[in-house]
Amino acid sequence: MMLTEQTPVPETALPLEPFKAHLRLGTGFGEASLQDEVLISFLRAAIAAIEARTGKVLISRPFELTLQQWRDRAAQVLPVVPVTAISALVLIDAAGGEQTVETSLYRLIQDSQHPQLSPTVSLLPAIVSGGSLRITLTAGMAADWGGLPADLGQAVLLLAAHYYHYRDDTALSVGCMPFGVTSLIERYRLVRLSLGRVQ
């Protein structure tokens, strides 16, 4: 299985001005945009870290998932959350030939924890030996920054500010995330089922 982000979060979707206000940066100066590039990089890093910690995609964007085999042809759990649309399934044979699967043969089961690709017939189409399947999908909680829940938006700003203020510090422990951020994102973390237990 290989998941590829097709496009990054658009720069226009990043809360640059709210982040500047959060940092209390001065305004009205000729060099007001001097730090924009570094601020954008911290916002991207904060979004990526929160997405990794929660298992949820914040800003909607396209992904490609490539499979060499199904885990279960009766239903395939998708590795990103929330999935809002599946735009294509393409079967690829061992020689590289492609065949688009009819949209009438599958459907998306939306779920806040474990979205699934499910067949409308008995089973999902077979993947031939040496071949693969490419799924093109869209995932994300909101189309733009304004559509995100307020607590997640605040968590991104807090974490980006943490990265900004400690940008020269190399002594922080691995995986360090401020308590304020972890408390804000805790309820969004994926529930993982393992051996009958909820983790």
Side-chain angles (χ1 to χ4, degrees):
M1 177 186 295
M2 182 170 64
L3 182 69
T4 307
E5 182 180 314
Q6 293 300 97
T7 59
V9 176
E11 196 168 299
T12 54
L14 296 172
L16 181 58
E17 294 308 316
F19 185 36
K20 287 181 177 180
H22 180 82
L23 293 173
R24 299 178 181 176
L25 297 181
T27 59
F29 301 101
E31 298 179 345
S33 63
L34 187 62
Q35 292 195 74
D36 285 5
E37 189 173 336
V38 71
L39 296 180
I40 286 170
S41 72
F42 289 135
L43 284 169
R44 289 192 186 282
I47 289 171
I50 288 173
E51 287 183 342
R53 186 66 66 97
T54 62
K56 304 280 176 71
V57 178
L58 301 188
I59 303 296
S60 183
R61 53 198 189 273
F63 294 83
E64 273 191 2
L65 175 64
T66 302
L67 303 173
Q68 276 66 48
Q69 62 183 12
W70 298 111
R71 178 169 292 178
D72 184 349
R73 286 184 65 194
Q76 174 70 43
V77 175
L78 300 169
V80 286
V81 180
V83 177
T84 55
I86 295 176
S87 53
L89 259 67
V90 178
L91 286 166
I92 304 167
D93 61 30
E98 297 188 356
Q99 177 189 354
T100 301
V101 178
E102 292 290 335
T103 57
S104 60
L105 298 178
Y106 61 89
R107 66 190 180 98
L108 169 65
I109 299 177
Q110 293 185 327
D111 187 272
S112 64
Q113 297 290 326
H114 304 286
Q116 296 181 13
L117 176 66
S118 177
T120 55
V121 289
S122 58
L123 294 172
L124 291 163
I127 301 173
V128 299
S129 177
S132 61
L133 176 96
R134 184 174 67 242
I135 304 172
T136 304
L137 55 87
T138 302
M141 298 183 73
D144 55 34
W145 186 258
L148 278 180
D151 49 358
L152 278 178
Q154 183 65 20
V156 170
L157 293 179
L158 285 173
L159 186 55
H162 178 78
Y163 291 156
Y164 177 81
H165 291 303
Y166 292 95
R167 58 191 178 276
D168 297 321
D169 192 341
T170 59
L172 294 174
S173 62
V174 175
C176 178
M177 191 171 277
F179 171 75
V181 176
T182 56
S183 62
L184 285 169
I185 67 174
E186 183 61 31
R187 73 185 183 103
Y188 294 98
R189 295 184 68 181
L190 282 181
V191 176
R192 301 192 187 279
L193 302 177
S194 175
L195 300 175
R197 295 176 298 172
V198 178
Q199 298 179 335

